[in-house]
């Protein structure tokens, strides 16, 4: 099925809208698809940027809370070193719980670590404003830190007094607060890390879904644009191609068909006009054929009727000119010469008109048979050699050894050769030459007749084969009928050949005709 036979294409063509409206809809539709894809892309980029900013904030919080957790863990570890431990270790022989100056460095390190924790929970140190849930935990951490700082200061004062054994309940209390502090910091850090990991996973999933959505929408937009372009273009191109094909057929003389275009736009109106023109041309062509046939029949009949009395005029004039019925004086002889010359000219004109009319009426049937082209050329040269010698024109024939026997109507080909040679001799001035040659080129036989006459202007070369048309040189000589070349052209074309002239003004003419190669 041809693209323009697609039901969707035909449906678009049948829409009652002008071509520019359809094109506008197509352009606007394509633009809308582009805008949709662009808006979706911007939206997805905005969502991705938002997730990146959120992830950056979470990572910043996770880093700050991780540092807070490490300091809280450090405090717990330091305080645990000076705690007596469980009752099992107290019952060991010789074991003494740490205290005094021996425990002071560790206790002081724990105090220093605690001093860092408090500021680390402030907005200035964090570098961001923590969420409400985080702020509650940070507040508990600050409270635990303040409470633990007081206990550690009390322990350090005991160490400075050299008390070997500090109340173990105080140290256990300090360790318990440190454990609570560490748990709070760890919970805060772990919760933030978990949120970060969850957001990373969500971001990856959102990226995949967003990518798939964008690709799907983009592909869908492209497909819709292609379908829209295909349907609209073929709803226009298809009718144009059909109209063009019909116009080419009309130009070649085929009026039997009609162009089928279902569009309800300018192309549909154009197709209707083409069909109307086709019908009108067909009617006119039939009328012209009838007129041409009547004209050809009339000319053929009139030419035939005119030849009978004209032959009588020529015959009786020749009898009188030959003095078969008595002498004639000089003046009468001049008049008889004028009568014979005019009658022969008129007979030549009638014969050309008769032959041309028969060709146009399709009444000429070629008697195709093998014959010697060389002999036909030589016969034509012999017929015109005396006239050429009288006019001081030299005729030279140089047939190719590759060309001799061809197939065609010998009488008609001789008629073409005689017309070309006669024109060449007629228009070649005294002292000039006429050259006749043959050749085999690209599977066809070419016959060339070249003269050294006045040549043809570029505009004359286009019209030289028209009926009753003569160049300025022919008009000046007042010879010929203007039908010889027109008749020669039709006879050559009946044989399936071509005829043309190569010429430049002042450099002579070369008439060439071709014959298809059918024989050896």
């Amino acid at each position: 099925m041809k693209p323009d036979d697609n039901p969707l294409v035909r449906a678009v063509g049948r829409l009652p809208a002008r071509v520019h409206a359809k094109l506008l809809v197509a352009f606007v539709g394509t633009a809308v698809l582009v805008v949709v894809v662009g808006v979706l892309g911007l939206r997805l980029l905005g969502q991705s940027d938002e997730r990146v900013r959120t992830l950056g904030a979470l990572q910043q919080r996770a880093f700050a809370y991780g540092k807070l957790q490490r300091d809280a863990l450090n405090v717990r570890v330091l305080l645990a070193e000076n705690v007596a431990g469980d009752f099992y270790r107290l019952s060991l022989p010789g074991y003494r719980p740490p205290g005094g100056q021996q425990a002071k460095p560790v206790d002081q390190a724990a105090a220093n670590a605690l001093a860092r924790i408090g500021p680390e929970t402030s907005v200035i140190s964090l570098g961001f404003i923590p969420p409400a849930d985080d702020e509650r935990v940070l507040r508990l951490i600050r409270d635990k830190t303040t409470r633990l700082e007081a206990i550690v200061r009390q322990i350090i004062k005991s160490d400075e007094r050299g008390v070997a054994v500090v109340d173990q309940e105080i140290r256990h209390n300090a360790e318990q607060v440190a454990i609570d502090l560490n748990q709070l910091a760890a919970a805060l850090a772990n919760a933030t890390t978990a949120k970060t990991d969850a957001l990373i996973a969500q971001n990856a999933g959102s990226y995949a879904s967003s990518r798939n959505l964008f690709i799907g929408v983009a592909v869908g937009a492209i497909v819709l644009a292609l379908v829209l372009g295909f349907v609209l273009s073929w709803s226009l191109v298809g009718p144009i191609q059909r109209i063009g094909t019909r116009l080419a057929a009309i130009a070649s003389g085929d009026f039997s068909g009609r162009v089928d275009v279902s569009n309800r736009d300018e192309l549909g109106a154009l197709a209707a006009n083409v069909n109307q023109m086709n019908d009108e041309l067909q009617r006119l062509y039939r009328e012209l054929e009838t007129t041409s046939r009547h004209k050809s029949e009339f000319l053929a009949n009139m030419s035939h009727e005119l030849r009978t009395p004209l032959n009588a005029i020529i015959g009786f004039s020749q009898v009188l000119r030959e003095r078969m019925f008595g002498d004639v004086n000089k003046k009468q002889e001049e008049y008889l010469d004028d009568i014979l010359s005019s009658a022969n000219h008129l007979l030549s004109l009638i014969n050309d008109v008769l032959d041309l009319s028969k060709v146009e009426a399709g009444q000429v049937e070629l008697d195709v048979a093998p014959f010697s082209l060389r002999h036909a050329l030589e016969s034509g040269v012999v017929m015109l050699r005396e006239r050429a010698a009288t006019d001081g024109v030299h005729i030279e024939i140089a047939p190719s050894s590759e060309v001799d026997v061809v197939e065609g109507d010998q009488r008609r080909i001789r008629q073409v050769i005689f017309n070309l040679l006669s024109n060449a001799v007629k228009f070649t001035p005294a002292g000039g030459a006429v050259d006749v040659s043959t050749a085999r080129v690209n599977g066809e036989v070419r016959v060339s007749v070249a003269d050294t006459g006045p040549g043809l202007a570029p505009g004359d070369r286009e019209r030289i084969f028209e009926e009753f048309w003569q160049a300025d040189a022919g008009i000046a000589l007042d010879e010929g009928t203007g039908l010889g070349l027109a008749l020669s052209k039709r006879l050559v074309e009946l044989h399936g050949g071509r005829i043309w002239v190569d010429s430049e003004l002042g450099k002579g003419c070369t008439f060439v005709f071709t014959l298809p190669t059918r024989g050896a």
Side-chain angles (χ1 to χ4, degrees):
M1 182 177 62
K2 294 182 179 180
D4 54 330
D5 289 331
N6 186 285
L8 186 57
V9 173
R10 285 188 170 272
V12 172
R14 293 191 188 98
L15 291 175
R18 302 177 67 85
V19 171
H20 76 272
K22 295 179 181 179
L23 291 175
L24 181 62
V25 169
F27 293 150
V28 171
T30 303
V32 169
L33 292 175
V34 172
V35 170
V36 168
V37 173
V39 170
L40 178 62
L42 290 176
R43 181 170 177 271
L44 295 178
L45 286 175
Q47 292 176 347
S48 177
D49 182 65
E50 181 65 25
R51 288 193 295 267
V52 168
R53 287 199 299 269
T54 303
L55 180 61
L58 283 175
Q59 289 175 335
Q60 183 181 9
R61 286 158 55 190
F63 176 78
Y65 296 160
K67 182 179 179 183
L68 185 63
Q69 179 190 12
R70 288 191 297 274
D71 289 340
L73 179 62
N74 187 29
V75 170
R76 176 185 175 185
V77 171
L78 291 173
L79 292 177
E81 291 185 12
N82 289 334
V83 175
D86 51 28
F87 292 102
Y88 172 75
R89 287 187 291 169
L90 287 173
S91 63
L92 293 176
Y95 175 79
R96 292 178 60 83
Q101 295 298 325
Q102 180 182 359
K104 183 178 179 181
V106 177
D107 295 333
Q108 188 61 52
N112 295 336
L114 278 172
R116 292 193 299 270
I117 292 176
E120 288 176 353
T121 62
S122 66
V123 174
I124 296 177
S125 179
L126 290 173
F128 59 87
I129 299 176
D133 293 339
D134 292 356
E135 179 59 33
R136 286 194 294 271
V137 177
L138 289 173
R139 189 180 304 113
L140 292 176
I141 291 175
R142 285 194 292 270
D143 293 342
K144 294 289 184 180
T145 301
T146 301
R147 179 181 174 188
L148 186 57
E149 284 177 341
I151 297 174
V152 170
R153 283 195 298 269
Q154 183 180 357
I155 293 174
I156 291 174
K157 288 180 180 179
S158 299
D159 293 338
E160 290 174 350
R161 291 196 302 269
V163 178
V165 179
V166 180
D167 186 355
Q168 291 301 312
E169 184 177 352
I170 296 176
R171 286 191 177 276
H172 278 293
N173 189 18
E175 182 183 21
Q176 187 60 47
V177 175
I179 291 173
D180 294 341
L181 178 63
N182 180 60
Q183 288 178 346
L184 288 172
L188 186 62
N190 292 338
T192 305
T193 301
K195 290 180 181 179
T196 302
D197 294 340
L199 184 59
I200 291 175
Q202 180 186 1
N203 194 25
S206 298
Y207 169 77
S209 60
S210 299
R211 178 194 61 195
N212 295 336
L213 177 61
F214 183 78
I215 292 175
V217 172
V219 170
I222 292 173
V223 171
L224 287 176
L226 291 176
V227 170
L228 184 62
F230 171 82
V231 170
L232 183 62
S233 63
W234 274 108
S235 69
L236 303 178
V237 173
I240 292 175
Q241 289 181 342
R242 297 188 183 193
I243 293 172
T245 302
R246 182 85 285 273
L247 288 175
I250 293 174
S252 65
D254 178 14
F255 304 104
S256 60
R258 295 180 66 83
V259 58
D260 179 22
V261 174
S262 59
N263 288 40
R264 298 172 63 185
D265 50 26
E266 292 89 339
L267 294 177
L270 178 61
N273 291 334
V274 169
N275 288 329
Q276 183 178 357
M277 180 188 68
N278 177 84
D279 297 340
E280 184 65 17
L281 287 176
Q282 185 177 23
R283 183 185 66 80
L284 293 175
Y285 186 75
R286 288 174 178 172
E287 291 181 357
L288 288 174
E289 281 185 332
T290 302
T291 303
S292 178
R293 186 175 66 255
H294 290 165
K295 180 205 71 172
S296 299
E297 292 174 354
F298 171 77
L299 289 176
N301 292 332
M302 288 300 298
S303 298
H304 180 73
E305 294 297 329
L306 288 172
R307 288 174 68 179
T308 300
L310 190 58
N311 286 329
I313 293 173
I314 293 173
F316 287 122
S317 298
Q318 289 175 341
V319 168
L320 293 175
R321 184 69 174 77
E322 295 296 328
R323 297 176 173 83
M324 296 179 65
F325 293 99
D327 291 335
V328 293
N329 59 37
K330 187 175 181 180
K331 195 66 176 178
Q332 290 172 335
E333 185 176 352
E334 290 179 2
Y335 287 159
L336 288 173
D337 288 339
D338 290 341
I339 292 172
L340 283 172
S341 176
S342 298
N344 285 323
H345 179 73
L346 183 57
L347 181 62
S348 175
L349 175 61
I350 291 172
N351 287 334
D352 287 344
V353 169
L354 181 60
D355 288 340
L356 193 59
S357 299
K358 287 181 178 180
V359 171
E360 290 181 347
Q363 297 176 357
V364 175
E365 294 185 3
L366 299 179
D367 183 13
V368 178
F371 70 94
S372 174
L373 182 61
R374 182 194 302 269
H375 292 165
L377 292 172
E378 292 174 350
S379 175
V381 171
V382 169
M383 292 174 64
L384 290 166
R385 192 180 298 278
E386 182 177 352
R387 176 182 174 180
T390 302
D391 295 341
V393 177
H394 176 70
I395 300 180
E396 182 71 26
I397 181 171
S400 171
S401 59
E402 298 180 356
V403 178
D404 187 8
V405 178
V406 296
E407 283 192 1
D409 189 322
Q410 182 176 0
R411 186 173 71 86
R412 297 300 184 181
I413 297 300
R414 283 190 174 188
Q415 188 175 359
V416 173
I417 294 172
F418 180 81
N419 285 340
L420 296 182
L421 286 172
S422 177
N423 282 344
V425 171
K426 180 170 59 177
F427 293 111
T428 301
V434 176
D435 295 322
V436 183
S437 62
T438 61
R440 190 182 298 272
V441 180
N442 296 330
E444 60 184 9
V445 173
R446 289 189 180 183
V447 179
S448 302
V449 178
D451 63 57
T452 57
L456 294 170
D460 294 342
R461 292 200 301 269
E462 302 297 327
R463 303 186 60 190
I464 195 66
F465 294 101
E466 294 180 7
E467 301 170 7
F468 299 105
W469 190 90
Q470 289 182 298
D472 292 340
I475 296 174
L477 289 175
D478 193 22
E479 292 186 27
T481 62
L483 293 174
L485 290 177
L487 179 59
S488 297
K489 181 176 185 295
R490 283 163 174 76
L491 292 176
V492 169
E493 290 176 347
L494 281 176
H495 282 81
R498 299 172 293 126
I499 187 170
W500 68 90
V501 61
D502 296 325
S503 177
E504 291 186 24
L505 198 61
K507 295 185 179 181
C509 298
T510 299
F511 283 87
V512 184
F513 73 90
T514 67
L515 295 173
T517 303
R518 298 189 182 95

